[in-house]
Amino acid sequence: MNAVIDLLKSHRSIRQFTDQPVEQTTVETLVEAGQAAATSSFIQACTVIQVSNPNTREKLAACAGGQPYVAAAPVFLVFCADMKRHQLTCDMHDAQMQSGFTEQFITASLDTALFSQNLVVAAESLGLGTVYIGGLRNKIAEVADLLQLPDMVYPVFGLCLGYPAQDPEVKPRLPVNVVLKQDVYDDEADRGLITDYDAHVRDYYKTRTGGTKDMSWSEQISGMLVKESRPHMLPFLQERGFLLK
Amino acid sequence: MNAVIDLLKSHRSIRQFTDQPVEQTTVETLVEAGQAAATSSFIQACTVIQVSNPNTREKLAACAGGQPYVAAAPVFLVFCADMKRHQLTCDMHDAQMQSGFTEQFITASLDTALFSQNLVVAAESLGLGTVYIGGLRNKIAEVADLLQLPDMVYPVFGLCLGYPAQDPEVKPRLPVNVVLKQDVYDDEADRGLITDYDAHVRDYYKTRTGGTKDMSWSEQISGMLVKESRPHMLPFLQERGFLLK
């Protein structure tokens, strides 16, 4: 359709990087591109921690369940949803902030994601590769301590950044007619459409792994969802001042 | 830096649109661009409801606090965080889904935001303008009923889409050194930096409104945060199967 859409549609996660460094001015340009995303009621709730300390990087890689690229990537960013900055604006005006609302948690988290995705698009437009590291939430309290995050700030995810040293295939997505619905939510056809898609994903995995991974999308997802999903998240977030009401 | 980054940095919300229609094939292309964004553990948790019914549009505009462009925009999309699809994958494999975790709410919400932001970038690359409508959450239960959303699906935000009939200025963002921190969270300098930025925002509003709006960023934010923030969100989400543990 055009070069931007081609760029977006060619996204793959990159986990192996060349030694080519990423200039700090580039990182700043990427952050500016992130900031340019829409922000809910202008709250600008995203803070990015750029982690360069190798010791911290190793610890973050361990927190993420042993993902070596967290330590090895030329640049590693942690995107935080930050309402402490808003506490500061209230202090500046002797105003009493009403905090702890679920709505605030949602807007801060969404702001962070819009920001990060703009940053990812900007990075990919410069030939950089990225991978989001949601695995930081495995040990979120430890991550928050390592980064000295105060209350009202939580690490949403990390991002590895660098010049790609691999060229993986694009992963097939659900059919558009599963994801795009007209006027109302109607999923009557979804089971059949997902079954077709399952075959497609199974082929993708077989090709990518030389036959060793034989799995459909619905198998993968259902296998994941029979387990608990980071049950420490709610108590952690509440301790930090989020999701209290 | 390059054309993509220039595009990202030129983002402004567009609330007035020409009569030029948006082709349905374009909407589908945009959705595909949205789908191409990273997705947490491949969950693909975003569902888009394209609302064309004029009656529903009017009601959604009212839900959003009377934003007329919700009814008037050539295209209106509601981005939903959808875990019902995952319930379906579990049913397909006779698996017992463990649901209600805060972590699942987070990943589904983030997935939706990464998707929507890719879609926005794609739209802007085609010369379309957009505005996110978080105001749908004012009356989220009514919105969910209008769109016949089942449990495990919630409307995150809407998006107006069309060819721009206005050309507003880009809104100034926080200084990069407030938003980007090195190795640890340190906000010692932020108060001073925000004070400088406040003057910048005050100028922007004065210019944009011909002098009638005289407000800084910290004033605007603190004025907003002394009030309750959509206190109905938590009970609504819990009723729908989210944030239960």
Side-chain angles (χ1 to χ4, degrees), chain A residues 76-96:
Chain A
F76 188 68
L77 305 177
V78 180
F79 290 87
C80 301
D82 182 350
M83 293 294 292
K84 173 144 196 278
R85 183 179 298 145
H86 306 89
Q87 182 62 63
L88 175 60
T89 68
C90 288
D91 292 347
M92 287 167 73
H93 296 279
D94 291 321
Q96 186 64 44

Side-chain angles (χ1 to χ4, degrees), chain A residues 216-237:
Chain A
S216 74
W217 182 70
S218 65
E219 248 179 281
Q220 180 176 344
I221 297 301
S222 61
M224 188 168 76
L225 289 173
V226 296
K227 299 175 210 148
E228 284 195 321
S229 186
R230 295 181 181 136
H232 56 273
M233 284 297 290
L234 184 58
F236 167 81
L237 289 165

Side-chain angles (χ1 to χ4, degrees), chain A residues 9 84 103 173 187 230, chain B residues 32 84 103 187 230:
Chain A
K9 291 180 73 170
K84 173 144 196 278
E103 169 65 11
R173 297 305 200 241
D187 62 350
R230 295 181 181 136
Chain B
E32 284 172 3
K84 173 145 196 277
E103 169 66 11
D187 62 352
R230 297 184 180 132

Side-chain angles (χ1 to χ4, degrees), chain B residues 14-37:
Chain B
I14 298 295
R15 295 179 176 83
Q16 292 170 33
F17 304 96
T18 70
D19 290 338
Q20 187 182 341
V22 180
E23 299 289 337
Q24 189 57 22
T25 52
T26 302
V27 174
E28 285 167 18
T29 298
L30 298 180
V31 168
E32 284 172 3
Q35 290 188 274

